[in-house]
Amino acid sequence: MDRNPGVVPLPRIEPDGRHSKAPDRGEPYRDEPHRDEDGPGADLQSGDTLEPSTAQDVATGLDGEGGPKPEPDDVGASGGYLAALVNAMAPGRLAVRLAALALGVVAWHWATEVNLNAYINFENVPGPLAVWDAFTAQIAGSEFYIHILVSMQRIMIGYSLATVVGIILGLATGRSRFANDLLMPYVEILRPIPAVAWIPLAILMWPTEEASIIFITFLGALFPIILNTMHGVEQTPEVLVRAARSLGARRMQIFRHVVLPAALPSIATGLAVGMGVSWFSLLAGEIISGQYGIGYFTWNAYSLINYEDIVVGMLCIGLLGTGSTYAVRAATRPLLRWQERTR
């Protein structure tokens, strides 16, 4: 009769990489080699023995030739981003992207050359060559660069403030029911208001036009950051929180080591979306009340019926927005290295 009928025997782990199979009751242990699906010892059968070098490779994780097995998370943060960038810009993918852009330019050129007027009218739309000539004329002077620098300065100020405030409010509303009940009514009421509707009130509230434009830019980036951060905190697996609490972690330790890392992917998404919305809000403010900026440049070209400069301003806005969004993703990628290990 077994002394402890409810106890299940466990396998023994040997230091040389071998494990012992758990025996049935009354049966002695039988040693069998530990085998991975791929790696040293994969082709061994039951009852075979491992060579000393092979056993050492299995135990230490060597590749069989004395070198360590390559691990994806051995790459540094900057190296991981560079690897992802190189993968995205592989010759095949890069060729597809360049071909797609070239096809769009060709279609644009064809529509303007034949004066296409099939519900969408291209008769007054400048062609790519005319826009290129206008662009080269603009970059030859200094005023165009002033417009770009002023817009970028406004974006940096408004977006930086929105990042700090948005992450703090998002963490608070996602972690605290009281903070959620206190702040979310304001967020849900103010969030649908478009940037253009804020312009008259912003001019009345702030002492200068510059401050009012930065305020509108701040509002554009704020709400996506708040909502995505709150969503990331709310989606933290409760099992991880309970596990940390059972190990004696305090509330701040749980917040720092469990909640915040789990929310980082959503925070990164909110930062990228907020950057795009901040450009939209900035241009709305510059069109109405600005004297400098790429939005003012585009609207002024429309007022002067300078169609080529309108397209130059639009393309410049697109390039600046795309570049700033990629910069945000590059800055947040090192914080998400743990995702690559779990894939």
Side-chain angles (χ1 to χ4, degrees):
M1 177 180 294
D2 295 335
R3 297 180 180 178
N4 298 311
V7 177
V8 178
L10 298 177
R12 294 193 308 245
I13 307 299
E14 303 295 342
D16 62 351
R18 303 174 7 147
H19 73 280
S20 299
K21 181 180 178 181
D24 296 330
R25 293 188 180 93
E27 180 182 353
Y29 279 94
R30 182 174 67 250
D31 291 341
E32 289 187 358
H34 172 72
R35 297 189 300 272
D36 294 330
E37 294 181 0
D38 297 312
D43 57 346
L44 296 178
Q45 303 297 326
S46 176
D48 294 342
T49 58
L50 288 173
E51 296 295 333
S53 59
T54 306
Q56 184 179 2
D57 292 343
V58 174
T60 58
L62 300 180
D63 60 0
E65 298 180 358
K69 293 181 180 179
E71 296 291 343
D73 52 337
D74 287 341
V75 182
S78 59
Y81 169 67
L82 292 177
L85 183 61
V86 170
N87 181 48
M89 292 293 104
R93 299 187 63 185
L94 181 60
V96 172
R97 297 185 181 192
L98 293 178
L101 291 176
L103 182 62
V105 173
V106 170
W108 173 21
H109 177 73
W110 172 81
T112 55
E113 284 294 317
V114 301
N115 292 327
L116 181 65
N117 188 6
Y119 187 74
I120 300 177
N121 188 2
F122 280 83
E123 294 179 355
N124 296 319
V125 176
L129 297 179
V131 172
W132 175 258
D133 292 337
F135 174 72
T136 55
Q138 289 294 335
I139 63 176
S142 60
E143 186 177 357
F144 186 69
Y145 297 101
I146 295 176
H147 289 299
I148 293 177
L149 292 176
V150 169
S151 293
M152 293 182 65
Q153 180 182 10
R154 291 166 176 167
I155 281 288
M156 291 183 64
I157 297 174
Y159 180 78
S160 299
L161 294 174
T163 298
V164 176
V165 176
I167 291 178
I168 293 175
L169 294 182
L171 293 174
T173 54
R175 196 64 182 157
S176 170
R177 292 183 180 179
F178 175 76
N180 190 291
D181 295 336
L182 185 65
L183 298 175
M184 284 308 296
Y186 292 100
V187 173
E188 293 299 336
I189 291 174
L190 299 178
R191 180 173 60 90
I193 301 176
V196 177
W198 280 100
I199 293 174
L201 186 60
I203 294 175
L204 296 175
M205 290 172 54
W206 296 92
T208 63
E209 291 183 350
E210 186 71 15
S212 63
I213 294 174
I214 293 175
F215 172 71
I216 295 171
T217 306
F218 164 81
L219 288 179
L222 178 65
F223 298 116
I225 296 175
I226 291 178
L227 294 178
N228 279 273
T229 302
M230 182 185 68
H231 175 74
V233 173
E234 291 176 343
Q235 295 301 313
T236 302
E238 187 63 25
V239 64
L240 299 180
V241 177
R242 292 179 180 177
R245 188 179 293 118
S246 67
L247 294 174
R250 295 186 295 271
R251 294 187 62 181
M252 286 305 300
Q253 291 176 324
I254 294 175
F255 177 79
R256 178 182 176 185
H257 298 288
V258 179
V259 176
L260 189 57
L264 280 177
S266 294
I267 295 176
T269 301
L271 293 176
V273 174
M275 175 59 76
V277 180
S278 66
W279 274 102
F280 174 80
S281 303
L282 169 71
L283 299 174
E286 289 180 343
I287 287 174
I288 302 300
S289 63
Q291 295 181 349
Y292 288 100
I294 196 65
Y296 172 79
F297 170 84
T298 305
W299 183 256
N300 188 55
Y302 172 76
S303 301
L304 299 176
I305 318 179
N306 189 345
Y307 299 135
E308 290 80 5
D309 283 350
I310 294 175
V311 181
V312 169
M314 293 173 60
L315 294 178
C316 185
I317 293 167
L319 292 175
L320 290 173
T322 301
S324 57
T325 301
Y326 273 109
V328 170
R329 291 177 179 174
T332 56
R333 188 181 297 272
L335 302 176
L336 305 176
R337 287 185 58 205
W338 60 270
Q339 278 190 315
E340 299 177 1
R341 302 191 189 119
T342 59
R343 290 175 181 174

